[in-house]
Amino acid sequence: MSYQMPIFASLPVAFARGQGAWLWDTHGRKYLDALSGIAVCGLGHAHPAITAAICDQAGQLLHTSNWYQVPLQEKLAERLCKLAGMDNAFFCNSGAEANEAAIKLARLHGHQRDIFTPGIIVTENSFHGRTLATLSASGSRKIQAGFEPLVSGFHRVPYNNLDAVRQVAENNKDIVAVLVEPITGEGGVSIPDNGYLKGLRKICDDRGLLLMLDEIQTGMCRTGKWFACQHEAVLPDVMTLAKGLGNGVPIGACLARGKAAQVFKVGSHGSTFSGNPLVCRVALTVIDELEKGKFAQRAAQLGEQLLNKLKTALSGIAGVKDVRGRGLMLAVELDRPCKDLLQMALDRGVLINVTADNVVRLLPPLIFSDTEADLLVNELTGIVRSFLEKK
Ligand SMILES: *Cc1c(COP(=O)(O)O)cnc(C)c1O
C-alpha cells in the first residue's frame, strides 16, 4: 500500500543517480535517458555548472519574497526577453502556471478593452496543463472528464488549420487571443505546415488578437532554435516557458511583448515562490550553458542526423506509420497503441515515452553525443521490431 494518491502509472523502476544522458537505478543498473524527464533536463543529469550554481546559491539565499526586489529575477527577465524578443516576464513554478498567467493576461486585456466575456482560440490535441483553466484550454477529453464544469471562454479549432481560426475570429467579436503550441508535445508531436505560425500572426495582427505561444516543451533550444517560433521568424505577443528552463528546478515564465506587456499592473497576479533567487540563479546558469555550448545549433544538427538514421532504420517495417521530428523533439508513430513498448524499452535499458496512445516520443538531452544517438537508434529499432512482432 502507498500513501501517495494513485495518479501516476509509474514504471517499476526508481533512479538513484544520473550523469549526463545516463541514469542508474537503485540496483545499480544503467539506462540511456532519451526522455530528459519530459524535455526538462536538457543539460543532462548532474551537470557540474548547475550543481555548483545550486550549491552556491543555497549557501547564500533561497527565498525572500516578491515584496522585495530580487536582482537575479530581474537579470533572468532581461536575459530571457533579449533571447526571445519580448519585453517583460512573470515567473512562476510550472508550465500550467505560466499558461494560467497567459490566460489571465488575455482576459484582462479583453476587459481593459470593454470585452467582458473574452474568448481564446485553442486547438484540438493541445496540452496546456492540469489546472482548471489550462485543462479547459487543452484539447483532450481524457484530462477534462470528471472535472466539469470547465472554465468557459475557450473556442476549439483543428490544429494546423488557419481557415478555422479565421472563421472563429470573424464570427465572434469577443475573441481576444489565440493560444497554440508551435509543435504539439503531449498531443503526439504534430509539426504544423511551414507558415502556420506566420499565418496565425497575420490573423492576430489583422484582428488585434494576442498571439500566445506555449513553448513550454519546444523552448530552450529543444527544436534547434532557442524557441520554436524562430523557425518561422514569428514573434508572439505572449510566450510561455517552463520544462527546460530550470533543468530540473521548478520554474516557469510568461513573457509578453508590446501591448501585452502593458496589461498586468500592480496586484493583477502573483505567487509566493515565483522567481526566487535559487530558481533564477539556476535558470541563468542554464541559459549560460546553452549559449556556451551552442546547443540550439547542436540540437538542430543532431536532430537531423537522428531523424535520418531513424527513418532509414525503421523504413519498411510494417506498423511504423511515420517518423518525424524537429531538433531533438522526435516521434515514431505506430499503427497501434504502444504503451507496452515502454516496459520493453526499460528491460533494454532505454528511457523513452509514449504519448497520444501510439506515438513513441523521444526527447533526449541536448548534451546527447553522436555515440549515444547511434545507440538510441539501434536500441529503438530493436524495441519497435520486437514490439510489432509480438502483437
Ligand atoms: C508540460 C507542458 C505543460 C504543463 O507544464 P507543467 O509544468 O506540467 O504544469 C503545458 N504546456 C505544454 C506544451 C507542455 O508540454
Side-chain angles (χ1 to χ4, degrees):
M1 173 191 143
S2 167
Y3 285 94
Q4 293 187 79
M5 294 191 185
I7 291 169
F8 299 106
S10 310
L11 290 162
V13 64
F15 299 107
R17 68 183 182 91
Q19 185 69 61
W22 295 87
L23 283 164
W24 283 262
D25 72 12
T26 44
H27 305 291
R29 190 172 169 222
K30 193 177 170 187
Y31 298 78
L32 180 65
D33 184 3
L35 181 60
S36 315
I38 319 183
V40 169
C41 303
L43 293 168
H45 303 284
H47 189 286
I50 301 295
T51 307
I54 292 172
C55 292
D56 183 62
Q57 191 58 44
Q60 289 185 47
L61 192 64
L62 290 180
H63 175 89
T64 51
S65 159
N66 286 308
W67 284 114
Y68 311 106
Q69 291 173 14
V70 182
L72 286 164
Q73 190 182 119
E74 180 55 42
K75 214 165 140 187
L76 177 60
E78 181 179 346
R79 286 290 290 284
L80 274 178
C81 284
K82 285 189 170 156
L83 283 168
M86 306 296 279
D87 292 336
N88 57 21
F90 164 75
F91 294 104
C92 51
N93 316 294
S94 68
E97 282 176 79
N99 285 332
E100 195 74 37
I103 292 163
K104 283 182 70 176
L105 188 152
R107 283 188 167 197
L108 190 58
H109 171 67
H111 281 259
Q112 288 168 356
R113 296 158 71 222
D114 293 336
I115 297 172
F116 299 112
T117 52
I120 300 173
I121 297 177
V122 292
T123 70
E124 288 167 8
N125 298 316
S126 60
F127 180 76
H128 299 297
R130 298 282 196 156
T131 62
L132 277 173
T134 56
L135 76 81
S136 301
S138 297
S140 158
R141 267 311 288 160
K142 216 157 74 188
I143 71 161
Q144 294 174 341
F147 299 110
E148 298 83 358
L150 300 181
V151 172
S152 61
F154 294 107
H155 300 251
R156 199 164 308 284
V157 297
Y159 191 63
N160 192 26
N161 184 329
L162 289 171
D163 282 335
V165 174
R166 215 172 280 121
Q167 214 160 54
V168 172
E170 248 165 50
N171 295 332
N172 192 324
K173 54 186 186 329
D174 283 347
I175 300 292
V176 293
V178 179
L179 171 64
V180 301
E181 294 162 88
I183 296 174
T184 71
E186 306 311 301
V189 192
S190 296
I191 304 171
D193 296 338
N194 217 352
Y196 181 56
L197 298 182
K198 265 211 164 76
L200 289 177
R201 182 68 272 175
K202 175 148 194 343
I203 295 169
C204 288
D205 287 341
D206 290 350
R207 306 203 152 260
L209 312 179
L210 301 180
L211 177 59
M212 310 204 295
L213 294 182
D214 179 345
E215 293 247 17
I216 288 164
Q217 192 159 148
T218 53
M220 306 310 289
C221 303
R222 172 59 51 190
T223 70
K225 298 267 186 198
W226 271 92
F227 308 101
C229 58
Q230 293 170 340
H231 288 288
E232 289 193 33
V234 162
L235 270 182
D237 301 290
V238 174
M239 179 194 290
T240 52
L241 299 172
K243 295 206 161 90
L245 178 56
N247 209 66
V249 302
I251 178 169
C254 175
L255 311 181
R257 184 179 67 88
K259 60 181 189 278
Q262 314 290 319
V263 174
F264 280 159
K265 305 279 193 282
V266 171
S268 296
H269 194 45
S271 162
T272 300
F273 294 139
S274 75
N276 79 24
L278 178 74
V279 294
C280 290
R281 173 79 183 271
V282 174
L284 279 163
T285 309
V286 168
I287 294 171
D288 281 343
E289 293 302 316
L290 290 176
E291 265 181 352
K292 262 197 269 172
K294 295 192 165 47
F295 279 106
Q297 290 99 307
R298 172 63 182 163
Q301 174 254 327
L302 182 62
E304 192 170 312
Q305 202 175 303
L306 248 174
L307 184 62
N308 290 333
K309 288 187 176 177
L310 280 171
K311 278 185 172 163
T312 306
L314 295 169
S315 76
I317 301 181
V320 175
K321 275 179 74 181
D322 191 27
V323 182
R324 58 178 176 267
R326 182 162 291 163
L328 289 173
M329 188 170 181
L330 300 139
V332 178
E333 184 175 339
L334 303 185
D335 67 352
R336 66 201 74 176
C338 57
K339 274 261 160 23
D340 293 350
L341 194 142
L342 292 179
Q343 182 62 49
M344 298 171 64
L346 200 63
D347 293 342
R348 293 178 72 137
V350 180
L351 306 178
I352 53 175
N353 178 246
V354 168
T355 189
D357 282 340
N358 64 331
V359 178
V360 180
R361 178 173 48 165
L362 306 174
L363 297 163
L366 310 175
I367 48 114
F368 229 44
S369 69
D370 288 2
T371 316
E372 287 158 349
D374 287 344
L375 181 61
L376 176 61
V377 172
N378 284 339
E379 288 298 318
L380 187 68
T381 307
I383 292 160
V384 167
R385 268 187 196 283
S386 46
F387 170 77
L388 290 169
E389 277 162 17
K390 232 174 73 177
K391 291 275 164 131

